[in-house]
Amino acid sequence: MFSIDYPVTATKLLRRNRFAIGAADGLIQRYLRAGHSIRLMATNFAEIPLAKLASKIRTGHYTPSAVVEACLDRIDRRDDALNAFITVFEERARTEAKRREHELETDGGVGPLHGVPVAVKDSRAVAGERYTWGTKLLDDNVADVDDI
């Protein structure tokens, strides 16, 4: 048995109906043809304690982009039932994750939660973004400055 800890969700893998692990794919295909079995372990970042997740990001075990993609995928899969998000800044999250990765590569002095994605309550203003306080009356309310 050979296991790979790869930060994707099982749903995403099933949708793709193939191993989505890039350059290692050829090696895995040869391993399978030789009669070995592979167990792909998808990481559920929601179940990892925050301090441990931050530590794994700082040490390079996970990338901020992988964590953000897993979070966005989880929001996509579950928010219809939960209705927890009014606005999801997907592209902004991806851009910030890339920026955090670059900072990790170039600057050793990062903070303790560097690269960990956060959700901001809709009652907090984020410059240039819509915030509604959860009411349709403020549907077009856009913040001029950050509240946080």
Side-chain angles (χ1 to χ4, degrees), residues 3-145:
S3 69
I4 300 169
D5 187 11
Y6 184 72
V8 296
T9 62
T11 303
K12 189 176 278 188
L13 287 175
L14 290 173
R15 272 198 307 245
R16 292 179 183 169
N17 198 23
R18 61 183 168 83
F19 289 106
I21 57 177
D25 191 47
L27 174 64
I28 289 173
Q29 293 303 324
R30 285 193 299 273
Y31 195 80
L32 288 171
R33 282 193 295 274
H36 301 283
S37 62
I38 294 177
R39 179 174 50 127
L40 188 64
M41 299 172 63
T43 300
N44 183 354
F45 294 111
E47 294 178 2
I48 299 174
L50 189 60
K52 185 175 182 178
L53 177 61
S55 173
K56 294 222 179 242
I57 289 172
R58 280 192 310 277
T59 60
H61 190 79
Y62 302 134
T63 65
S65 291
V67 177
V68 163
E69 288 303 324
C71 291
L72 291 173
D73 184 59
R74 185 177 173 97
I75 291 167
D76 185 51
R77 286 182 294 112
R78 301 185 82 182
D79 197 49
D80 284 344
L82 297 174
N83 197 26
F85 292 91
I86 293 174
T87 307
V88 178
F89 308 125
E90 290 184 38
E91 288 312 309
R92 186 173 185 166
R94 288 182 177 108
T95 301
E96 288 297 322
K98 290 289 185 195
R99 181 178 299 158
R100 300 301 171 248
E101 285 173 24
H102 179 70
E103 291 169 355
L104 282 168
E105 294 167 2
T106 59
D107 183 14
V110 296
L113 297 178
H114 189 87
V116 176
V118 297
V120 178
K121 189 166 176 62
D122 187 55
S123 61
R124 309 309 301 188
V126 176
E129 304 294 351
R130 174 176 81 112
Y131 71 111
T132 69
W133 284 76
T135 176
K136 293 276 187 201
L137 295 173
L138 296 174
D139 228 13
D140 297 325
N141 194 30
V142 176
D144 294 325
V145 295

